[in-house]
Amino acid sequence: MAEADGAKPQSWFADHALLPEGHARDVLFQISDGRFTAVTPNASPAGAGRLPGIALPGFANVHSHAFHRALRGRAQDSDGTFWSWRERMYAVAERLTPDRYLELARATYAEMALAGITAVGEFHYLHHGPGGVPYADPNAMGEALLQAAREAGVRIALLDACYLAGGLTGSGHTPLEGVQLRFGDGDVDGWAGRFTRLAGSDTAVIGAALHSVRAVPAASIRSASAAAAGVPLHVHVSEQPAENEVCRAFYGYTPAALLQHEGALSRRTTAVHATHLSQDDVALLGGASAQACLCPTTERDLADGIGPALQLHEAGVRVSLGSDQHAVIDLLEEARALEMDQRLASGRRGRFTPGELLAALTRHEALGFPEAGRLAVGERADLVGVRLDSPRTAGSDPAQVLFSATAADVDIVLVDGGVVVREGRHRLGDIGRALQAAIEPLWR
């Protein structure tokens, strides 16, 4: 996955770093076998490699749909709602093959690495061929994503999604139709039989997802959750008011309450979006010690709304961040938006401390990598060097760099000790050109 230097002892030095205890100066990082063996502030460079600016832990992109990257700059002429945008997304999904998906996902994950992301949670539901016909390898699309992450140099949690119904109305669930046929496995046993054939590794976690209460009927939620026991479980929850309305109309529960009733809320559960939650929903998530992944740049692009991030945090829910449909791939912007959206909603500043924003930015535990996301001994040796001399960051207090830096300021990225990005360039070369080559054929 990473360059060979990740396997041999090495050292790196940064003038500034954000350590678990806060901002530190003159920090020497020593690495062996992809782990930090020493993190020493007030040290000398001692021949170590130099990290420009400030060293941060690797970022965790907890929610991604890699193929949505093809919609950036292609769907902004679509008025209306999330539901009208979804038709554009379905059009892209119809055209993807395993080979095309590999090409697009590899370039998308490389773009993430350029932005300081060292692990991605890929919420994967595009499983089969046209009409829902399985490929010779029924996990060909998932394997393409695993290969894409490996070649792009980032870790992945492949969150294989159970997707059984086409939607939900006040009268019940509707069948899969059109491109949705590519998403389904017939029933929970069909999904579990395919899902359990996927194999993980040290850099790839095989997790699970329930697409939503719209796509997984209540009668299947409990059995699907049980089939995924012991691995991360992610669910789209209350992204749209319409989802809440039909769930209440048919089941008499909010989506969060339905998941709780069916035993799908626990410490391993991540509620994605969680935009339109009631106070009772927030309490349910907190009581279950669940997590919530907010995707502010997507939620604003799709006019979803502003989620109750502060209330979730105060209820004990661990908040993480994702770039979802990739209108922007910049987790520094996602972290900043987490705070700024709460300022807009409350009329007050300082809703989250810089340390709390950094925790949300680096929530690798949501992806099944609990030993990542901190610049500390024993942790995976992910390092992100962010410049402090760019037009955006010049003059910033290093301790407040999350409020000034963008993905464009990421200069070097190490994943498990291996250099993936150096001087702002990915080891695969020109990622803009790779994205162009992957996306243009999908729109011809």
Side-chain angles (χ1 to χ4, degrees), residues 102 137 139-148 150 158 197-199:
L102 170 60
D137 174 358
N139 281 313
M141 296 295 260
E143 293 293 347
L145 292 166
L146 293 170
Q147 180 180 346
R150 187 165 57 248
L158 185 65
R197 291 175 61 177
L198 288 160

Side-chain angles (χ1 to χ4, degrees), residues 199-291:
S201 68
D202 182 57
T203 58
V205 165
I206 305 301
L210 309 177
H211 179 272
S212 60
V213 298
R214 293 178 286 108
V216 183
S220 299
I221 289 174
R222 189 176 296 273
S223 54
S225 300
V231 302
L233 179 68
H234 290 217
V235 195
H236 292 126
V237 176
S238 294
E239 182 177 3
Q240 288 288 321
E243 177 184 311
N244 291 352
E245 292 164 9
V246 296
C247 193
R248 285 195 188 97
F250 186 67
Y251 287 116
Y253 292 106
T254 64
L258 182 62
L259 292 169
Q260 171 71 8
H261 184 264
E262 298 300 330
L265 285 188
S266 71
R267 185 173 181 84
R268 68 188 177 95
T269 307
T270 296
V272 179
H273 298 301
T275 307
H276 299 282
L277 300 180
S278 69
Q279 291 183 345
D280 288 343
D281 291 336
V282 171
L284 283 176
L285 292 174
S289 299
Q291 304 194 48

Side-chain angles (χ1 to χ4, degrees), residues 80-400:
T81 67
F82 164 87
W83 307 102
S84 55
W85 168 87
R86 190 176 72 164
E87 295 307 311
R88 296 285 185 96
M89 181 267 287
Y90 279 176
V92 171
E94 280 189 310
R95 301 182 181 114
L96 284 167
T97 64
D99 287 344
R100 282 183 169 179
Y101 208 4
L102 170 60
E103 183 181 16
L104 175 58
R106 179 174 55 223
T108 301
Y109 296 156
E111 183 184 359
M112 291 183 193
L114 287 167
I117 292 163
T118 58
V120 58
E122 183 60 37
F123 197 110
H124 169 52
Y125 56 82
L126 183 52
H127 300 306
H128 303 299
V133 178
Y135 292 104
D137 174 358
N139 281 313
M141 296 295 260
E143 293 293 347
L145 292 166
L146 293 170
Q147 180 180 346
R150 187 165 57 248
E151 293 179 2
V154 299
R155 293 189 300 274
I156 186 171
L158 185 65
L159 305 164
D160 192 282
C162 182
Y163 201 126
L164 305 178
L168 176 63
T169 71
S171 303
H173 288 273
T174 59
L176 298 172
E177 61 181 7
V179 70
Q180 291 176 332
L181 294 169
R182 301 190 69 176
F183 308 161
D185 292 289
D187 55 25
V188 171
D189 288 342
W191 167 73
R194 182 185 52 71
F195 157 69
T196 53
R197 291 175 61 177
L198 288 160
S201 68
D202 182 57
T203 58
V205 165
I206 305 301
L210 309 177
H211 179 272
S212 60
V213 298
R214 293 178 286 108
V216 183
S220 299
I221 289 174
R222 189 176 296 273
S223 54
S225 300
V231 302
L233 179 68
H234 290 217
V235 195
H236 292 126
V237 176
S238 294
E239 182 177 3
Q240 288 288 321
E243 177 184 311
N244 291 352
E245 292 164 9
V246 296
C247 193
R248 285 195 188 97
F250 186 67
Y251 287 116
Y253 292 106
T254 64
L258 182 62
L259 292 169
Q260 171 71 8
H261 184 264
E262 298 300 330
L265 285 188
S266 71
R267 185 173 181 84
R268 68 188 177 95
T269 307
T270 296
V272 179
H273 298 301
T275 307
H276 299 282
L277 300 180
S278 69
Q279 291 183 345
D280 288 343
D281 291 336
V282 171
L284 283 176
L285 292 174
S289 299
Q291 304 194 48
C293 177
L294 278 67
C295 308
T297 66
T298 288
E299 288 143 15
R300 74 191 186 199
D301 181 74
L302 298 181
D304 286 343
I306 297 174
L310 189 60
Q311 295 94 314
L312 288 163
H313 174 69
E314 291 173 343
V317 176
R318 290 157 292 154
V319 175
S320 58
L321 296 165
S323 63
D324 189 6
Q325 58 126 341
H326 315 309
V328 179
I329 294 181
D330 186 343
L331 248 63
L332 290 161
E333 170 63 15
E334 304 288 352
R336 191 158 45 247
L338 187 67
E339 164 68 13
M340 299 306 173
D341 283 354
Q342 295 306 300
R343 292 183 184 185
L344 287 173
S346 67
R348 293 182 58 193
R349 305 176 81 237
R351 306 284 71 197
F352 290 94
T353 68
E356 290 166 344
L357 292 180
L358 183 65
L361 181 64
T362 58
R363 192 78 69 185
H364 293 259
E365 63 182 293
L367 303 179
F369 296 108
E371 72 286 15
R374 288 158 38 95
L375 302 181
V377 172
E379 298 278 295
R380 286 180 179 264
D382 295 355
L383 280 171
V384 177
V386 175
R387 302 199 69 89
L388 293 174
D389 59 357
S390 79
R392 293 160 296 278
T393 59
S396 296
D397 177 350
Q400 298 185 39

